[in-house]
Amino acid sequence: MIIVLKPHATKEHAEELMQRIAALGLRPLYMPGQERVVLGALGDERALESLHLDSDPLVESVKPILAPYKLVGREMHPHDTIVALGNTRVGGGRFTVIAGPCAVETAEQMRATAAAVKTAGAHALRGGAYKPRTSPYSFQGLGQEGLAILREVSRETGLPAVTEVVDVADVELVEEYAAAFQAGARNMQNFRLLQALGRSRKPVILKRGMAAKVDDLLLAAEYILAEGNPNVILCERGITTFETATRNTLDLNAIPVIKQRSHLPILVDPSHGTGLRELVSPMAKAALACGADGLLVEVHHDPPNALSDGRQSLFPEQFAALMRELRPIADAVGKVM
Amino acid sequence: MIIVLKPHATKEHAEELMQRIAALGLRPLYMPGQERVVLGALGDERALESLHLDSDPLVESVKPILAPYKLVGREMHPHDTIVALGNTRVGGGRFTVIAGPCAVETAEQMRATAAAVKTAGAHALRGGAYKPRTSPYSFQGLGQEGLAILREVSRETGLPAVTEVVDVADVELVEEYAAAFQAGARNMQNFRLLQALGRSRKPVILKRGMAAKVDDLLLAAEYILAEGNPNVILCERGITTFETATRNTLDLNAIPVIKQRSHLPILVDPSHGTGLRELVSPMAKAALACGADGLLVEVHHDPPNALSDGRQSLFPEQFAALMRELRPIADAVGKVM
Amino acid sequence: MIIVLKPHATKEHAEELMQRIAALGLRPLYMPGQERVVLGALGDERALESLHLDSDPLVESVKPILAPYKLVGREMHPHDTIVALGNTRVGGGRFTVIAGPCAVETAEQMRATAAAVKTAGAHALRGGAYKPRTSPYSFQGLGQEGLAILREVSRETGLPAVTEVVDVADVELVEEYAAAFQAGARNMQNFRLLQALGRSRKPVILKRGMAAKVDDLLLAAEYILAEGNPNVILCERGITTFETATRNTLDLNAIPVIKQRSHLPILVDPSHGTGLRELVSPMAKAALACGADGLLVEVHHDPPNALSDGRQSLFPEQFAALMRELRPIADAVGKVM
Amino acid sequence: MIIVLKPHATKEHAEELMQRIAALGLRPLYMPGQERVVLGALGDERALESLHLDSDPLVESVKPILAPYKLVGREMHPHDTIVALGNTRVGGGRFTVIAGPCAVETAEQMRATAAAVKTAGAHALRGGAYKPRTSPYSFQGLGQEGLAILREVSRETGLPAVTEVVDVADVELVEEYAAAFQAGARNMQNFRLLQALGRSRKPVILKRGMAAKVDDLLLAAEYILAEGNPNVILCERGITTFETATRNTLDLNAIPVIKQRSHLPILVDPSHGTGLRELVSPMAKAALACGADGLLVEVHHDPPNALSDGRQSLFPEQFAALMRELRPIADAVGKVM
């Protein structure tokens, strides 16, 4: 850790800080510069948090050298993590496609959509029973009834089911019904929920928050791993920017960045990432080409009548076409679909 | 509501949409343009959500005319709402200052800080018992023990206490101990929590999310009012932008915008809004000058040893100076402090 | 165009506005709603700009229906434009790779780099003689001497040369030396420069500004076409967002959005778009997969000693590997390289 | 400067880098950490730019300690700069109001508006003869004819005139006609223009670019000072964010940040900063309260008929009211108006 002192900090002040650094078992370093004194602290700088050096009125800034996370980082864990998701797997050279409607609406809708995505080659089924909606007047999901439909259709088709959990109180119930949890973008920093998911052993698909930097996403994942659940799958789903042509700005740069920094698998959700049906297919291909481990994609058997997010849902035949177009790209980049 | 059709939409398609609009009790309007057909729907367009017009493959875009919220909007409720907060009030010509540490650490710390802010003229006391922290390795708050300290110091000083709630399961407990809830920026779209707070009648200070537009904040408040709790106080606390000189970008434009759109009172948190102690005072003055109803400001009796957010906490004497400097500005703009 | 009046606007005011609309040859439409009166204007709404309706104190908002550009839009010009660039072409099923150093430094550097990119299969050569640099203390380019080196190496290798122009006064000179102009992101709204480039007939590679929406980019291109130069090639090079892991956020969503809205070809610059050498290859592949017409990519024969942007420049062997890896993806998506 | 090496960097590589640092006259420092080696370079780190350390494949990141600018920084120049603007001054305890229309349209319009702003107490007159407009189909300004009108009205009223310059070729002409140049947000990184303005001695009002960090603005100002012109006045005018309620997000945090980092005066433009007439007055007061040195504000004698930016222009009586309301706040914060 590098500690830059303010121009008027005295030598005595620097020495006091160095003693506090040494008291924590790190090696302090004194670097008097032309305009400022800079201190270094050699060792595991995460120990230094207890000193609250950035609160010191004579400290101008503190620059950490190490990443703020450990368990999710690639440095101590260089090999890619592969997460089992029901009868399929995510990570390690596969390209896993999880498809289905935004929300579970009826058994018929789920059956029709699941049949279509299975025929087209999807590996798992998605569908929300609890829907976080921006407006209180929008459809909020079927709750436990939706979970039951999802499980039934999952059993019929053999596709493992993924569904969102929005409250600590629902974790046990969702765990009973689904193969994997999804923690949504709006809950990426609902730390109490992350801790509850960390006490399960079922996989968690953790979506990046709209204002979260890559490192914030990795720190959120660290919450889950720190509680004991290693089965985390990250998901890029678009960030908030000034551009209004798309609902969010799908940040594909995050894929290679995360591959450098973390061993966890990373999916891309081109449906929420763009908000526009027409953009799902090109962005899904781009996700595959830049190294993502799979997709989370919205498909509805009848998008114009979907109760939520119909604007971004693929028609079944569009999804089938996408799967056909992805395969030669997967071959080209050496991924198995 | 204005519905723009795609260039290749047929007259038949337009007529079918118009029949669906009419079936909901609105008056449809046909506007054939040079390059596109545009439809209008006159009446309460919120009824149209059930048609999912934006999911229709022949609809290019849908432009609502009315605001998506009702209860929080100024149109049906032109007068400013005043919210009682313990023995003080927020809104309606007052400038209410809520001050205290980021986190409750010890009874001594709370007592020392509360005494200082009371002497300087603060109207209420803040202090967190549950702390949402970006890193799982940071101090997470004292929980119920912290609530007990907060209540005790509140009683001793007569300052009503405000504290954050981060989980539905804690709502009842917090209600027992504090005069008002705070819903943090990371939970602004934790809709389950908002609904639980809507079932209380204690005031809720709802902070704007880092990626939330003003209208997203107002829709989040609508969740609380829709459940029956009218006592909502909004709070601007900085949004996420590209600027790195400050931790967040305090968006003071939101104050007059919210005053136009909503009758709810709005506070400003210059501590989280900037992340820098040196900026708290100038931005607090700016908040007062542009029409805010008060401040939520971090003060610690010993910032260099604060367990969280010390970098942005004022020293007691800085807070006292700020209060002295605010008073003549309050006089100048006609607010009572 | 849809004109929403303020709640207190009178019928008389609406009628006056309708007369002004009619006087311009458009058909006005009166739509009295529950809470507000809405007016429509049918016809070529671009004529309405002269009315300045949004300045009217009784007008709440104005919502245009048509795109603000004409010449660059796909509606009146449905087929893809193909731009000749020296002996190669951009657009129409090709994937054109323009490679070279950020700045022309010496004849030796240009020769070594040009030979390497030609061998690897690049179609054109880039190199800057005028460098817009954030700091006045950074290397500013060789000017005309750089142009001369660039032309010489272009002739030797047969690769057409692309170079940036930063001032109206240099347009003629650059036209003499290079096969195509580049207008940089910082000059995307230097409208005087755009007009000067519009009076040339040489191709212009127009880079998207860091804070420019897709429609702002298209309007900037409209400036060039409106002056008579149809040979515009757009280029996505990253936008400014809150993410700091990359220098900019390469916005690949813009590629399919632009393909819908405009007939102009669009390149991607993964070097400036990410600022990191390690990300160039994955993002270049993603650009190809989502429909871009080519790349603008920085390669230097000796990046650690580059005078500018070495951090994002590929080593020659990295560029050769990238070209090998792009070819099977091009086959998979049906592009010719 | 702090240089963090990649985990696999060898001791030999570190030593080679240290020799290169020493060869430039700085003192290198070796800091072997647990996971990485970190190097320090003590001395004027701006000399290190020639080493291009961030281009080195074994360097992970480079963290500068000093600000990248010198002449505009407060460190070497602790006292506030006061800039003479015709017969008035900007900076040093004054609050200077520059008001007038967005564009010069006619002599009558300028005369009417100038008379109104003078009566209300404005200190200088603004009006654009060259207008950078997003669309090529919008009014582009009167050019030299506009400059002549502006000068005439300036002489008649005694208000010094400020006007925008958009091209190097116009610098001499504008210098002849106006008391001060304005360099617009879209030209903040038109470095050739900045250099030309640096060769003048007339004041330059430099507006912050929409995607420019505070340090980018200061570096742009450094370009002007580095050429010899010390008379630079900065201007905050809104940045690009995701919020759409306002045209831009006026970033008032920048005012106290700039006051810490630089000795140059800083104005606020609440008209462009918000894009909405109703927000100009509250944000102008906030600007004064947080320490700005003045305003650049749009006033038009007849906003509904303004040829540009009428939506954000104040009516004369609104401007007069604003001036009346500013005075007691100026008294409260100790500024002279």
Side-chain angles (χ1 to χ4, degrees):
Chain A
M1 186 175 276
I2 304 298
I3 302 112
V4 183
L5 302 189
K6 290 205 174 153
H8 53 286
T10 59
K11 179 121 207 241
E12 286 65 42
H13 196 80
E15 276 166 4
E16 188 214 309
L17 289 174
M18 290 170 73
Q19 284 168 16
R20 291 168 66 193
I21 291 168
L24 285 170
L26 286 89
R27 190 151 74 81
L29 208 65
Y30 183 68
M31 299 180 270
Q34 268 196 332
E35 301 178 14
R36 273 168 177 67
V37 168
V38 175
L39 304 181
L42 308 185
D44 187 347
E45 63 189 35
R46 282 170 281 238
L48 289 178
E49 211 206 329
S50 65
L51 289 187
H52 308 290
L53 293 174
D54 64 347
S55 305
D56 192 297
L58 291 174
V59 168
E60 184 169 289
S61 64
V62 166
K63 298 170 194 277
I65 303 296
L66 301 185
Y69 39 79
K70 286 179 169 177
L71 303 172
V72 306
R74 194 176 273 283
E75 243 154 84
M76 298 297 155
H77 189 313
H79 298 295
D80 283 356
T81 284
I82 298 174
V83 177
L85 170 63
N87 55 12
T88 187
R89 292 167 151 230
V90 180
R94 282 165 204 76
F95 193 73
T96 308
V97 179
I98 306 172
C102 178
V104 178
E105 298 166 10
T106 64
E108 294 64 42
Q109 167 241 19
M110 282 308 295
R111 239 172 234 130
T113 305
V117 303
K118 187 179 182 186
T119 304
H123 306 93
L125 182 66
R126 58 155 291 158
Y130 303 99
K131 299 306 306 169
R133 301 300 298 275
T134 307
S135 164
Y137 308 120
S138 298
F139 173 64
Q140 308 269 326
L142 296 181
Q144 191 169 355
E145 186 194 337
L147 292 177
I149 293 174
L150 183 67
R151 183 168 63 179
E152 197 181 310
V153 176
S154 166
R155 284 177 181 165
E156 289 167 13
T157 55
L159 294 175
V162 172
T163 200
E164 183 163 357
V165 58
V166 299
D167 191 34
V168 172
D170 302 329
V171 169
E172 271 186 58
L173 194 70
V174 171
E175 184 165 26
E176 204 184 310
Y177 281 91
F181 298 102
Q182 184 184 307
R186 288 178 183 78
N187 281 310
M188 192 201 85
Q189 294 191 320
N190 183 339
F191 301 117
R192 205 66 85 75
L193 180 61
L194 299 182
Q195 287 168 330
L197 295 174
R199 291 187 293 268
S200 172
R201 288 300 171 272
K202 281 217 167 160
V204 180
I205 298 178
L206 177 65
K207 299 184 96 173
R208 181 181 182 186
M210 280 94 118
K213 296 181 187 186
V214 162
D215 274 356
D216 295 328
L217 173 61
L218 294 177
L219 275 167
E222 186 91 358
Y223 262 91
I224 302 174
L225 273 77
E227 290 288 330
N229 187 352
N231 300 308
V232 175
I233 301 165
L234 306 171
C235 183
E236 159 63 32
R237 50 77 73 208
I239 57 173
T240 296
T241 73
F242 63 82
E243 177 59 73
T244 54
T246 45
R247 198 163 94 169
N248 297 288
T249 297
L250 188 72
D251 176 17
L252 290 183
N253 311 280
I255 307 306
V257 170
I258 286 173
K259 285 286 168 199
Q260 286 185 328
R261 298 188 183 182
S262 175
H263 54 86
L264 295 174
I266 168 96
L267 304 180
V268 168
D269 176 348
S271 309
H272 287 88
T274 65
L276 296 168
R277 185 184 298 136
E278 307 86 278
L279 266 61
V280 169
S281 173
M283 299 317 289
K285 294 176 200 170
L288 169 53
C290 72
D293 294 300
L295 299 176
L296 198 62
V297 61
E298 291 194 359
V299 183
H300 194 285
H301 77 295
D302 182 14
N305 291 307
L307 293 184
S308 68
D309 281 350
R311 181 68 184 86
Q312 69 194 33
S313 294
L314 292 183
F315 286 81
E317 59 271 24
Q318 290 177 317
F319 178 69
L322 170 60
M323 292 297 283
R324 280 194 304 273
E325 290 166 21
L326 286 170
R327 281 190 196 98
I329 304 176
D331 289 345
V333 300
K335 289 257 187 189
V336 177
M337 264 185 77
Chain B
M1 185 175 278
I2 303 299
I3 302 113
V4 183
L5 302 189
K6 291 205 173 153
H8 54 288
T10 59
K11 179 123 208 243
E12 286 66 41
H13 197 79
E15 276 165 6
E16 189 215 310
L17 289 173
M18 289 170 73
Q19 284 168 16
R20 291 168 67 192
I21 290 168
L24 285 169
L26 286 88
R27 190 152 72 82
L29 209 63
Y30 184 68
M31 298 180 269
Q34 267 196 332
E35 301 179 16
R36 273 167 178 66
V37 168
V38 175
L39 305 181
L42 308 185
D44 188 345
E45 63 189 34
R46 283 170 281 238
L48 289 178
E49 211 206 327
S50 65
L51 290 187
H52 308 292
L53 292 174
D54 65 346
S55 304
D56 191 298
L58 292 174
V59 169
E60 185 169 289
S61 65
V62 167
K63 298 171 193 276
I65 302 297
L66 302 183
Y69 38 78
K70 288 178 170 180
L71 303 171
V72 306
R74 194 176 274 282
E75 242 154 86
M76 298 297 154
H77 188 314
H79 297 295
D80 282 357
T81 285
I82 298 174
V83 176
L85 171 64
N87 54 12
T88 187
R89 292 168 151 228
V90 179
R94 282 164 203 78
F95 192 71
T96 308
V97 180
I98 307 172
C102 178
V104 178
E105 299 165 10
T106 64
E108 294 65 41
Q109 166 242 19
M110 281 309 296
R111 236 170 237 132
T113 305
V117 303
K118 188 179 182 185
T119 305
H123 306 93
L125 182 65
R126 58 155 292 157
Y130 303 99
K131 300 304 307 168
R133 301 300 299 275
T134 307
S135 163
Y137 307 120
S138 297
F139 174 63
Q140 308 270 326
L142 296 182
Q144 191 168 354
E145 187 193 337
L147 292 177
I149 295 173
L150 183 66
R151 183 168 64 180
E152 197 182 310
V153 176
S154 165
R155 285 176 180 166
E156 290 167 12
T157 55
L159 294 175
V162 173
T163 199
E164 182 163 358
V165 58
V166 298
D167 192 35
V168 172
D170 302 330
V171 170
E172 271 185 59
L173 194 69
V174 171
E175 185 165 26
E176 203 184 310
Y177 281 91
F181 299 102
Q182 183 183 308
R186 287 177 183 78
N187 281 310
M188 192 201 85
Q189 294 191 320
N190 184 339
F191 301 115
R192 204 68 85 75
L193 181 60
L194 299 181
Q195 288 168 329
L197 295 173
R199 290 187 293 269
S200 172
R201 288 300 170 272
K202 282 217 166 159
V204 180
I205 298 178
L206 177 65
K207 299 185 95 173
R208 180 180 183 188
M210 281 94 118
K213 296 181 187 185
V214 162
D215 274 356
D216 295 328
L217 172 61
L218 294 177
L219 275 168
E222 185 91 0
Y223 262 91
I224 302 174
L225 272 79
E227 291 287 331
N229 188 351
N231 300 309
V232 174
I233 301 165
L234 305 172
C235 183
E236 160 62 33
R237 49 78 74 210
I239 57 172
T240 296
T241 72
F242 62 82
E243 177 59 73
T244 54
T246 45
R247 198 163 93 169
N248 297 288
T249 297
L250 188 71
D251 176 18
L252 290 183
N253 312 282
I255 307 307
V257 170
I258 286 172
K259 285 287 169 199
Q260 286 185 326
R261 298 188 183 181
S262 175
H263 54 86
L264 296 173
I266 168 97
L267 305 178
V268 168
D269 175 347
S271 308
H272 286 90
T274 66
L276 295 168
R277 185 184 298 135
E278 306 87 277
L279 265 62
V280 168
S281 175
M283 298 318 288
K285 294 176 200 169
L288 168 54
C290 71
D293 296 299
L295 297 177
L296 197 62
V297 61
E298 291 195 359
V299 183
H300 193 285
H301 77 295
D302 182 13
N305 291 307
L307 293 185
S308 67
D309 281 350
R311 180 68 184 86
Q312 69 194 33
S313 294
L314 292 183
F315 285 81
E317 58 272 24
Q318 290 177 316
F319 177 69
L322 170 60
M323 291 297 282
R324 280 193 305 273
E325 290 165 21
L326 285 171
R327 281 189 196 98
I329 304 176
D331 289 344
V333 300
K335 290 257 187 189
V336 177
M337 263 185 75
Chain C
M1 186 175 276
I2 304 298
I3 302 112
V4 183
L5 302 190
K6 291 206 172 152
H8 53 287
T10 59
K11 179 121 207 243
E12 286 65 43
H13 197 79
E15 276 166 5
E16 189 214 310
L17 288 173
M18 289 169 74
Q19 283 168 17
R20 290 168 66 193
I21 290 167
L24 285 170
L26 286 89
R27 189 151 74 82
L29 209 64
Y30 183 67
M31 298 180 271
Q34 268 196 331
E35 302 179 14
R36 269 166 181 67
V37 168
V38 175
L39 304 181
L42 309 184
D44 187 346
E45 63 191 35
R46 282 170 282 238
L48 290 177
E49 212 207 328
S50 65
L51 290 187
H52 309 291
L53 293 173
D54 65 346
S55 304
D56 190 299
L58 292 174
V59 169
E60 185 169 288
S61 64
V62 166
K63 298 172 194 276
I65 302 297
L66 302 184
Y69 38 79
K70 287 179 171 177
L71 303 173
V72 305
R74 195 175 272 285
E75 243 155 83
M76 298 297 154
H77 188 314
H79 297 295
D80 284 356
T81 286
I82 299 174
V83 176
L85 171 63
N87 54 12
T88 187
R89 291 166 152 230
V90 180
R94 280 165 205 78
F95 193 71
T96 308
V97 180
I98 307 172
C102 177
V104 178
E105 299 166 8
T106 64
E108 293 65 42
Q109 167 243 18
M110 282 308 295
R111 239 172 235 132
T113 305
V117 304
K118 187 179 183 187
T119 304
H123 305 92
L125 182 65
R126 58 155 290 159
Y130 302 99
K131 300 304 306 168
R133 300 301 297 276
T134 308
S135 163
Y137 308 119
S138 297
F139 173 64
Q140 308 269 329
L142 297 181
Q144 190 169 355
E145 186 193 337
L147 292 177
I149 294 173
L150 183 66
R151 183 168 65 178
E152 195 182 312
V153 176
S154 166
R155 285 177 179 165
E156 288 168 12
T157 56
L159 294 175
V162 172
T163 200
E164 182 163 358
V165 58
V166 298
D167 190 35
V168 172
D170 302 329
V171 170
E172 271 186 58
L173 194 68
V174 171
E175 185 165 26
E176 202 185 312
Y177 280 91
F181 299 102
Q182 184 183 307
R186 288 178 182 78
N187 280 311
M188 192 202 84
Q189 293 191 321
N190 183 339
F191 301 116
R192 204 67 84 75
L193 180 61
L194 299 182
Q195 288 169 329
L197 295 173
R199 290 187 292 269
S200 172
R201 288 301 170 271
K202 283 216 168 161
V204 180
I205 298 177
L206 177 65
K207 300 185 97 174
R208 181 180 182 188
M210 281 94 119
K213 296 182 186 184
V214 162
D215 274 356
D216 295 329
L217 172 61
L218 294 178
L219 275 168
E222 186 91 357
Y223 262 91
I224 302 175
L225 272 78
E227 290 287 331
N229 187 352
N231 301 307
V232 174
I233 300 165
L234 306 171
C235 183
E236 160 64 33
R237 51 76 74 208
I239 57 173
T240 296
T241 73
F242 62 82
E243 176 60 73
T244 54
T246 45
R247 198 162 93 170
N248 296 290
T249 296
L250 189 70
D251 176 17
L252 290 183
N253 311 281
I255 308 306
V257 169
I258 286 172
K259 285 287 167 198
Q260 286 185 327
R261 299 189 182 181
S262 175
H263 54 86
L264 295 174
I266 167 95
L267 304 179
V268 168
D269 175 348
S271 308
H272 287 88
T274 66
L276 296 168
R277 185 184 298 136
E278 307 86 280
L279 266 63
V280 169
S281 173
M283 299 317 289
K285 293 176 200 170
L288 169 54
C290 72
D293 296 299
L295 299 175
L296 197 61
V297 61
E298 291 194 1
V299 183
H300 193 284
H301 77 295
D302 181 14
N305 291 307
L307 293 185
S308 67
D309 281 349
R311 181 68 185 89
Q312 69 194 33
S313 294
L314 293 182
F315 285 81
E317 58 272 22
Q318 290 177 316
F319 178 68
L322 170 60
M323 291 296 282
R324 279 193 305 273
E325 291 165 22
L326 286 170
R327 282 190 195 99
I329 304 176
D331 289 345
V333 300
K335 289 257 188 189
V336 177
M337 261 184 78
Chain D
M1 185 174 279
I2 303 298
I3 302 113
V4 184
L5 302 190
K6 292 207 172 150
H8 54 285
T10 59
K11 179 120 208 246
E12 286 66 41
H13 197 79
E15 278 166 3
E16 189 214 310
L17 288 173
M18 291 170 73
Q19 283 168 15
R20 291 168 66 191
I21 291 168
L24 285 170
L26 287 89
R27 189 152 73 83
L29 209 64
Y30 183 68
M31 298 180 270
Q34 268 195 331
E35 302 179 14
R36 272 167 179 65
V37 169
V38 175
L39 305 181
L42 309 184
D44 187 345
E45 62 190 35
R46 282 170 282 238
L48 288 178
E49 211 208 328
S50 65
L51 289 187
H52 307 291
L53 292 173
D54 64 348
S55 305
D56 189 300
L58 292 174
V59 169
E60 185 169 287
S61 63
V62 166
K63 299 170 194 276
I65 302 298
L66 302 184
Y69 38 78
K70 287 178 170 179
L71 303 172
V72 305
R74 195 176 273 283
E75 243 154 84
M76 298 297 155
H77 188 312
H79 298 296
D80 283 355
T81 284
I82 298 173
V83 176
L85 171 63
N87 54 11
T88 187
R89 290 166 152 232
V90 180
R94 282 164 204 78
F95 192 71
T96 309
V97 180
I98 307 172
C102 178
V104 178
E105 299 166 9
T106 64
E108 293 65 41
Q109 166 242 20
M110 282 309 295
R111 238 171 235 131
T113 306
V117 303
K118 187 178 184 187
T119 304
H123 307 92
L125 181 66
R126 57 155 292 158
Y130 303 99
K131 300 305 306 169
R133 301 300 297 275
T134 308
S135 163
Y137 307 120
S138 298
F139 174 63
Q140 309 270 327
L142 295 183
Q144 191 169 355
E145 186 193 336
L147 292 177
I149 295 173
L150 183 66
R151 183 168 64 181
E152 196 181 310
V153 176
S154 165
R155 284 178 180 165
E156 289 168 12
T157 56
L159 294 174
V162 172
T163 200
E164 182 164 359
V165 59
V166 297
D167 190 36
V168 173
D170 302 329
V171 169
E172 271 187 58
L173 194 68
V174 171
E175 186 165 27
E176 202 184 311
Y177 280 91
F181 299 101
Q182 182 183 310
R186 288 178 183 77
N187 281 310
M188 192 201 85
Q189 293 192 322
N190 182 339
F191 301 116
R192 203 70 83 74
L193 180 61
L194 300 181
Q195 287 168 328
L197 295 173
R199 290 187 293 268
S200 172
R201 287 302 169 273
K202 282 218 167 159
V204 180
I205 298 178
L206 177 65
K207 299 185 96 174
R208 182 181 182 188
M210 282 94 119
K213 296 181 185 184
V214 163
D215 274 356
D216 294 329
L217 172 62
L218 294 178
L219 275 168
E222 185 90 359
Y223 261 92
I224 302 174
L225 273 78
E227 290 287 331
N229 187 353
N231 300 310
V232 174
I233 301 164
L234 305 172
C235 183
E236 160 63 33
R237 49 79 72 208
I239 57 173
T240 296
T241 73
F242 62 82
E243 178 60 74
T244 53
T246 45
R247 196 162 96 171
N248 297 289
T249 297
L250 189 72
D251 176 17
L252 290 183
N253 311 280
I255 308 306
V257 170
I258 286 172
K259 285 286 170 200
Q260 287 185 327
R261 299 188 181 180
S262 175
H263 54 86
L264 295 174
I266 167 96
L267 304 179
V268 168
D269 175 348
S271 309
H272 287 89
T274 66
L276 296 168
R277 185 185 298 135
E278 307 87 279
L279 266 62
V280 168
S281 173
M283 299 317 290
K285 294 176 200 170
L288 169 54
C290 72
D293 296 299
L295 299 176
L296 197 62
V297 61
E298 292 194 358
V299 183
H300 193 284
H301 77 296
D302 181 14
N305 291 307
L307 293 185
S308 68
D309 280 349
R311 180 69 184 87
Q312 70 194 32
S313 294
L314 293 182
F315 285 81
E317 58 272 22
Q318 290 177 317
F319 178 69
L322 171 60
M323 292 297 282
R324 281 194 304 274
E325 291 165 22
L326 286 170
R327 282 190 195 97
I329 305 176
D331 288 345
V333 300
K335 289 258 187 189
V336 178
M337 262 183 78

